[in-house]
mmCIF file of all heavy atoms in Angstrom:
data_model
loop_
_atom_site.group_PDB
_atom_site.id
_atom_site.type_symbol
_atom_site.label_atom_id
_atom_site.label_comp_id
_atom_site.label_asym_id
_atom_site.label_seq_id
_atom_site.Cartn_x
_atom_site.Cartn_y
_atom_site.Cartn_z
ATOM 1 N N ARG B 198 6.797 -7.890 -24.603
ATOM 2 C CA ARG B 198 5.914 -8.189 -25.744
ATOM 3 C C ARG B 198 4.498 -8.457 -25.268
ATOM 4 O O ARG B 198 3.532 -7.938 -25.815
ATOM 5 C CB ARG B 198 6.424 -9.418 -26.497
ATOM 6 C CG ARG B 198 7.728 -9.255 -27.185
ATOM 7 C CD ARG B 198 8.069 -10.532 -27.944
ATOM 8 N NE ARG B 198 7.244 -10.715 -29.122
ATOM 9 C CZ ARG B 198 7.581 -10.278 -30.322
ATOM 10 N NH1 ARG B 198 8.708 -9.631 -30.481
ATOM 11 N NH2 ARG B 198 6.790 -10.463 -31.346
ATOM 12 N N ARG B 215 3.610 -11.895 -35.142
ATOM 13 C CA ARG B 215 4.671 -10.981 -35.577
ATOM 14 C C ARG B 215 4.111 -9.589 -35.789
ATOM 15 O O ARG B 215 4.798 -8.707 -36.290
ATOM 16 C CB ARG B 215 5.300 -11.505 -36.876
ATOM 17 C CG ARG B 215 5.864 -12.906 -36.778
ATOM 18 C CD ARG B 215 6.993 -12.974 -35.777
ATOM 19 N NE ARG B 215 7.924 -11.864 -35.915
ATOM 20 C CZ ARG B 215 8.828 -11.794 -36.876
ATOM 21 N NH1 ARG B 215 8.953 -12.754 -37.742
ATOM 22 N NH2 ARG B 215 9.632 -10.753 -36.945
ATOM 23 N N ASP B 218 6.088 -6.728 -34.168
ATOM 24 C CA ASP B 218 7.334 -6.397 -34.853
ATOM 25 C C ASP B 218 7.076 -5.564 -36.095
ATOM 26 O O ASP B 218 7.786 -4.598 -36.378
ATOM 27 C CB ASP B 218 8.069 -7.685 -35.236
ATOM 28 C CG ASP B 218 8.237 -8.604 -34.036
ATOM 29 O OD1 ASP B 218 7.272 -9.304 -33.700
ATOM 30 O OD2 ASP B 218 9.307 -8.594 -33.438
ATOM 31 N N LYS B 222 8.339 -1.742 -36.828
ATOM 32 C CA LYS B 222 9.079 -1.373 -38.035
ATOM 33 C C LYS B 222 8.420 -0.158 -38.703
ATOM 34 O O LYS B 222 9.099 0.785 -39.093
ATOM 35 C CB LYS B 222 9.114 -2.552 -38.988
ATOM 36 C CG LYS B 222 9.836 -2.244 -40.278
ATOM 37 C CD LYS B 222 9.198 -2.983 -41.421
ATOM 38 C CE LYS B 222 9.635 -2.387 -42.735
ATOM 39 N NZ LYS B 222 8.668 -2.705 -43.789
ATOM 40 N N ARG B 225 9.180 2.976 -36.717
ATOM 41 C CA ARG B 225 10.555 3.445 -36.910
ATOM 42 C C ARG B 225 10.687 4.168 -38.241
ATOM 43 O O ARG B 225 11.370 5.180 -38.338
ATOM 44 C CB ARG B 225 11.515 2.255 -36.861
ATOM 45 C CG ARG B 225 11.795 1.783 -35.439
ATOM 46 C CD ARG B 225 12.665 0.533 -35.457
ATOM 47 N NE ARG B 225 13.083 0.130 -34.130
ATOM 48 C CZ ARG B 225 13.362 -1.125 -33.788
ATOM 49 N NH1 ARG B 225 13.263 -2.089 -34.691
ATOM 50 N NH2 ARG B 225 13.749 -1.415 -32.559
ATOM 51 N N THR B 237 15.253 -2.421 -29.416
ATOM 52 C CA THR B 237 14.827 -3.800 -29.260
ATOM 53 C C THR B 237 15.507 -4.402 -28.036
ATOM 54 O O THR B 237 16.708 -4.328 -27.909
ATOM 55 C CB THR B 237 15.208 -4.628 -30.494
ATOM 56 O OG1 THR B 237 14.676 -3.989 -31.649
ATOM 57 C CG2 THR B 237 14.675 -6.027 -30.380
ATOM 58 N N ARG B 239 16.040 -7.782 -26.764
ATOM 59 C CA ARG B 239 15.909 -9.148 -27.257
ATOM 60 C C ARG B 239 15.303 -10.078 -26.213
ATOM 61 O O ARG B 239 15.675 -10.053 -25.045
ATOM 62 C CB ARG B 239 17.299 -9.656 -27.666
ATOM 63 C CG ARG B 239 17.282 -10.849 -28.554
ATOM 64 C CD ARG B 239 18.609 -10.949 -29.301
ATOM 65 N NE ARG B 239 18.388 -11.042 -30.732
ATOM 66 C CZ ARG B 239 18.262 -12.206 -31.356
ATOM 67 N NH1 ARG B 239 18.337 -13.320 -30.683
ATOM 68 N NH2 ARG B 239 18.057 -12.249 -32.646
ATOM 69 N N SER B 240 14.369 -10.867 -26.676
ATOM 70 C CA SER B 240 13.689 -11.851 -25.817
ATOM 71 C C SER B 240 12.804 -11.191 -24.767
ATOM 72 O O SER B 240 12.253 -11.871 -23.913
ATOM 73 C CB SER B 240 14.653 -12.786 -25.098
ATOM 74 O OG SER B 240 15.561 -13.338 -25.985
ATOM 75 N N TYR B 243 10.312 -4.198 -26.375
ATOM 76 C CA TYR B 243 10.877 -2.974 -26.918
ATOM 77 C C TYR B 243 10.904 -1.901 -25.846
ATOM 78 O O TYR B 243 10.195 -1.985 -24.843
ATOM 79 C CB TYR B 243 10.063 -2.493 -28.117
ATOM 80 C CG TYR B 243 10.120 -3.427 -29.292
ATOM 81 C CD1 TYR B 243 9.175 -4.420 -29.462
ATOM 82 C CD2 TYR B 243 11.138 -3.324 -30.228
ATOM 83 C CE1 TYR B 243 9.222 -5.299 -30.548
ATOM 84 C CE2 TYR B 243 11.202 -4.182 -31.314
ATOM 85 C CZ TYR B 243 10.248 -5.167 -31.461
ATOM 86 O OH TYR B 243 10.308 -6.025 -32.528
ATOM 87 P P DA D 22 15.400 -23.377 -31.869
ATOM 88 O OP1 DA D 22 14.947 -24.437 -30.952
ATOM 89 O OP2 DA D 22 14.962 -23.358 -33.279
ATOM 90 O "O5'" DA D 22 15.044 -21.967 -31.212
ATOM 91 C "C5'" DA D 22 15.810 -21.507 -30.110
ATOM 92 C "C4'" DA D 22 15.811 -19.991 -30.084
ATOM 93 O "O4'" DA D 22 16.688 -19.485 -31.122
ATOM 94 C "C3'" DA D 22 14.437 -19.360 -30.332
ATOM 95 O "O3'" DA D 22 14.186 -18.422 -29.306
ATOM 96 C "C2'" DA D 22 14.568 -18.707 -31.703
ATOM 97 C "C1'" DA D 22 16.062 -18.415 -31.791
ATOM 98 N N9 DA D 22 16.582 -18.389 -33.164
ATOM 99 C C8 DA D 22 16.418 -19.344 -34.118
ATOM 100 N N7 DA D 22 17.011 -19.056 -35.259
ATOM 101 C C5 DA D 22 17.594 -17.829 -35.029
ATOM 102 C C6 DA D 22 18.372 -16.979 -35.841
ATOM 103 N N6 DA D 22 18.696 -17.269 -37.106
ATOM 104 N N1 DA D 22 18.805 -15.818 -35.303
ATOM 105 C C2 DA D 22 18.465 -15.541 -34.034
ATOM 106 N N3 DA D 22 17.750 -16.253 -33.174
ATOM 107 C C4 DA D 22 17.345 -17.401 -33.739
ATOM 108 P P DT D 23 12.782 -17.629 -29.291
ATOM 109 O OP1 DT D 23 12.422 -17.444 -27.874
ATOM 110 O OP2 DT D 23 11.846 -18.260 -30.238
ATOM 111 O "O5'" DT D 23 13.186 -16.214 -29.882
ATOM 112 C "C5'" DT D 23 14.325 -15.545 -29.356
ATOM 113 C "C4'" DT D 23 14.620 -14.319 -30.178
ATOM 114 O "O4'" DT D 23 15.158 -14.712 -31.458
ATOM 115 C "C3'" DT D 23 13.392 -13.440 -30.490
ATOM 116 O "O3'" DT D 23 13.627 -12.144 -29.981
ATOM 117 C "C2'" DT D 23 13.280 -13.466 -32.014
ATOM 118 C "C1'" DT D 23 14.690 -13.826 -32.438
ATOM 119 N N1 DT D 23 14.793 -14.522 -33.752
ATOM 120 C C2 DT D 23 15.564 -13.964 -34.749
ATOM 121 O O2 DT D 23 16.165 -12.912 -34.608
ATOM 122 N N3 DT D 23 15.611 -14.689 -35.916
ATOM 123 C C4 DT D 23 14.979 -15.887 -36.177
ATOM 124 O O4 DT D 23 15.096 -16.439 -37.270
ATOM 125 C C5 DT D 23 14.187 -16.412 -35.088
ATOM 126 C C7 DT D 23 13.459 -17.706 -35.276
ATOM 127 C C6 DT D 23 14.136 -15.717 -33.942
ATOM 128 P P DT D 24 12.501 -11.031 -30.063
ATOM 129 O OP1 DT D 24 12.728 -10.109 -28.940
ATOM 130 O OP2 DT D 24 11.207 -11.675 -30.252
ATOM 131 O "O5'" DT D 24 12.879 -10.258 -31.405
ATOM 132 C "C5'" DT D 24 14.158 -9.671 -31.508
ATOM 133 C "C4'" DT D 24 14.408 -9.159 -32.910
ATOM 134 O "O4'" DT D 24 14.442 -10.261 -33.833
ATOM 135 C "C3'" DT D 24 13.346 -8.195 -33.453
ATOM 136 O "O3'" DT D 24 14.005 -7.010 -33.850
ATOM 137 C "C2'" DT D 24 12.707 -8.949 -34.610
ATOM 138 C "C1'" DT D 24 13.851 -9.852 -35.036
ATOM 139 N N1 DT D 24 13.452 -11.079 -35.773
ATOM 140 C C2 DT D 24 14.010 -11.316 -37.003
ATOM 141 O O2 DT D 24 14.811 -10.569 -37.524
ATOM 142 N N3 DT D 24 13.596 -12.492 -37.602
ATOM 143 C C4 DT D 24 12.704 -13.412 -37.102
ATOM 144 O O4 DT D 24 12.414 -14.424 -37.730
ATOM 145 C C5 DT D 24 12.150 -13.101 -35.812
ATOM 146 C C7 DT D 24 11.171 -14.034 -35.164
ATOM 147 C C6 DT D 24 12.552 -11.966 -35.216
ATOM 148 P P DG D 25 13.223 -5.849 -34.576
ATOM 149 O OP1 DG D 25 13.805 -4.587 -34.088
ATOM 150 O OP2 DG D 25 11.767 -6.088 -34.483
ATOM 151 O "O5'" DG D 25 13.675 -6.028 -36.094
ATOM 152 C "C5'" DG D 25 15.051 -5.851 -36.423
ATOM 153 C "C4'" DG D 25 15.239 -5.768 -37.938
ATOM 154 O "O4'" DG D 25 14.900 -7.039 -38.532
ATOM 155 C "C3'" DG D 25 14.363 -4.735 -38.636
ATOM 156 O "O3'" DG D 25 15.118 -4.162 -39.705
ATOM 157 C "C2'" DG D 25 13.185 -5.558 -39.155
ATOM 158 C "C1'" DG D 25 13.851 -6.889 -39.466
ATOM 159 N N9 DG D 25 12.998 -8.060 -39.301
ATOM 160 C C8 DG D 25 12.286 -8.411 -38.191
ATOM 161 N N7 DG D 25 11.630 -9.542 -38.325
ATOM 162 C C5 DG D 25 11.926 -9.951 -39.610
ATOM 163 C C6 DG D 25 11.498 -11.100 -40.324
ATOM 164 O O6 DG D 25 10.762 -12.011 -39.943
ATOM 165 N N1 DG D 25 12.027 -11.129 -41.618
ATOM 166 C C2 DG D 25 12.869 -10.171 -42.137
ATOM 167 N N2 DG D 25 13.274 -10.366 -43.392
ATOM 168 N N3 DG D 25 13.273 -9.093 -41.482
ATOM 169 C C4 DG D 25 12.763 -9.053 -40.233
ATOM 170 P P DT D 26 14.506 -2.959 -40.545
ATOM 171 O OP1 DT D 26 15.653 -2.182 -41.032
ATOM 172 O OP2 DT D 26 13.451 -2.312 -39.769
ATOM 173 O "O5'" DT D 26 13.847 -3.697 -41.786
ATOM 174 C "C5'" DT D 26 14.618 -4.648 -42.505
ATOM 175 C "C4'" DT D 26 13.800 -5.226 -43.655
ATOM 176 O "O4'" DT D 26 13.029 -6.369 -43.188
ATOM 177 C "C3'" DT D 26 12.782 -4.255 -44.276
ATOM 178 O "O3'" DT D 26 12.994 -4.218 -45.665
ATOM 179 C "C2'" DT D 26 11.416 -4.868 -43.935
ATOM 180 C "C1'" DT D 26 11.778 -6.348 -43.828
ATOM 181 N N1 DT D 26 10.872 -7.163 -42.985
ATOM 182 C C2 DT D 26 10.425 -8.362 -43.482
ATOM 183 O O2 DT D 26 10.728 -8.787 -44.577
ATOM 184 N N3 DT D 26 9.602 -9.061 -42.627
ATOM 185 C C4 DT D 26 9.190 -8.674 -41.358
ATOM 186 O O4 DT D 26 8.445 -9.381 -40.689
ATOM 187 C C5 DT D 26 9.690 -7.400 -40.916
ATOM 188 C C7 DT D 26 9.323 -6.890 -39.571
ATOM 189 C C6 DT D 26 10.503 -6.715 -41.738
ATOM 190 P P DG D 27 12.480 -2.932 -46.512
ATOM 191 O OP1 DG D 27 13.658 -2.358 -47.181
ATOM 192 O OP2 DG D 27 11.632 -2.084 -45.651
ATOM 193 O "O5'" DG D 27 11.556 -3.602 -47.621
ATOM 194 C "C5'" DG D 27 12.086 -4.645 -48.419
ATOM 195 C "C4'" DG D 27 10.967 -5.550 -48.896
ATOM 196 O "O4'" DG D 27 10.392 -6.244 -47.755
ATOM 197 C "C3'" DG D 27 9.795 -4.824 -49.585
ATOM 198 O "O3'" DG D 27 9.632 -5.340 -50.899
ATOM 199 C "C2'" DG D 27 8.589 -5.096 -48.676
ATOM 200 C "C1'" DG D 27 9.004 -6.366 -47.930
ATOM 201 N N9 DG D 27 8.402 -6.497 -46.616
ATOM 202 C C8 DG D 27 8.385 -5.557 -45.611
ATOM 203 N N7 DG D 27 7.769 -5.965 -44.534
ATOM 204 C C5 DG D 27 7.360 -7.251 -44.841
ATOM 205 C C6 DG D 27 6.641 -8.192 -44.061
ATOM 206 O O6 DG D 27 6.223 -8.075 -42.910
ATOM 207 N N1 DG D 27 6.436 -9.384 -44.757
ATOM 208 C C2 DG D 27 6.855 -9.637 -46.041
ATOM 209 N N2 DG D 27 6.566 -10.822 -46.543
ATOM 210 N N3 DG D 27 7.524 -8.759 -46.782
ATOM 211 C C4 DG D 27 7.738 -7.603 -46.122
ATOM 212 P P DA D 28 8.453 -4.822 -51.827
ATOM 213 O OP1 DA D 28 8.985 -4.820 -53.191
ATOM 214 O OP2 DA D 28 7.840 -3.607 -51.252
ATOM 215 O "O5'" DA D 28 7.405 -6.012 -51.690
ATOM 216 C "C5'" DA D 28 7.869 -7.355 -51.735
ATOM 217 C "C4'" DA D 28 6.690 -8.302 -51.592
ATOM 218 O "O4'" DA D 28 6.334 -8.411 -50.186
ATOM 219 C "C3'" DA D 28 5.424 -7.861 -52.341
ATOM 220 O "O3'" DA D 28 4.858 -8.962 -53.028
ATOM 221 C "C2'" DA D 28 4.520 -7.338 -51.224
ATOM 222 C "C1'" DA D 28 4.939 -8.204 -50.033
ATOM 223 N N9 DA D 28 4.734 -7.579 -48.735
ATOM 224 C C8 DA D 28 5.080 -6.317 -48.354
ATOM 225 N N7 DA D 28 4.773 -6.017 -47.107
ATOM 226 C C5 DA D 28 4.174 -7.178 -46.643
ATOM 227 C C6 DA D 28 3.617 -7.510 -45.398
ATOM 228 N N6 DA D 28 3.583 -6.673 -44.359
ATOM 229 N N1 DA D 28 3.102 -8.746 -45.254
ATOM 230 C C2 DA D 28 3.137 -9.580 -46.296
ATOM 231 N N3 DA D 28 3.632 -9.382 -47.520
ATOM 232 C C4 DA D 28 4.141 -8.152 -47.627
ATOM 233 P P DC D 34 -15.073 0.936 -40.278
ATOM 234 O OP1 DC D 34 -15.035 1.314 -38.855
ATOM 235 O OP2 DC D 34 -16.269 0.291 -40.839
ATOM 236 O "O5'" DC D 34 -14.761 2.238 -41.137
ATOM 237 C "C5'" DC D 34 -13.506 2.888 -40.957
ATOM 238 C "C4'" DC D 34 -13.261 3.848 -42.114
ATOM 239 O "O4'" DC D 34 -13.054 3.092 -43.324
ATOM 240 C "C3'" DC D 34 -14.424 4.807 -42.387
ATOM 241 O "O3'" DC D 34 -13.941 6.137 -42.386
ATOM 242 C "C2'" DC D 34 -14.948 4.385 -43.762
ATOM 243 C "C1'" DC D 34 -13.703 3.743 -44.384
ATOM 244 N N1 DC D 34 -14.004 2.727 -45.424
ATOM 245 C C2 DC D 34 -13.433 2.848 -46.699
ATOM 246 O O2 DC D 34 -12.691 3.815 -46.937
ATOM 247 N N3 DC D 34 -13.708 1.910 -47.650
ATOM 248 C C4 DC D 34 -14.512 0.882 -47.354
ATOM 249 N N4 DC D 34 -14.748 -0.011 -48.304
ATOM 250 C C5 DC D 34 -15.102 0.740 -46.063
ATOM 251 C C6 DC D 34 -14.826 1.679 -45.137
#
Side-chain angles (χ1 to χ4, degrees):
Chain B
R198 294 183 72 92
R215 303 297 315 284
D218 308 80
K222 179 214 164 202
R225 282 176 174 152
T237 306
R239 198 159 234 269
S240 310
Y243 295 92

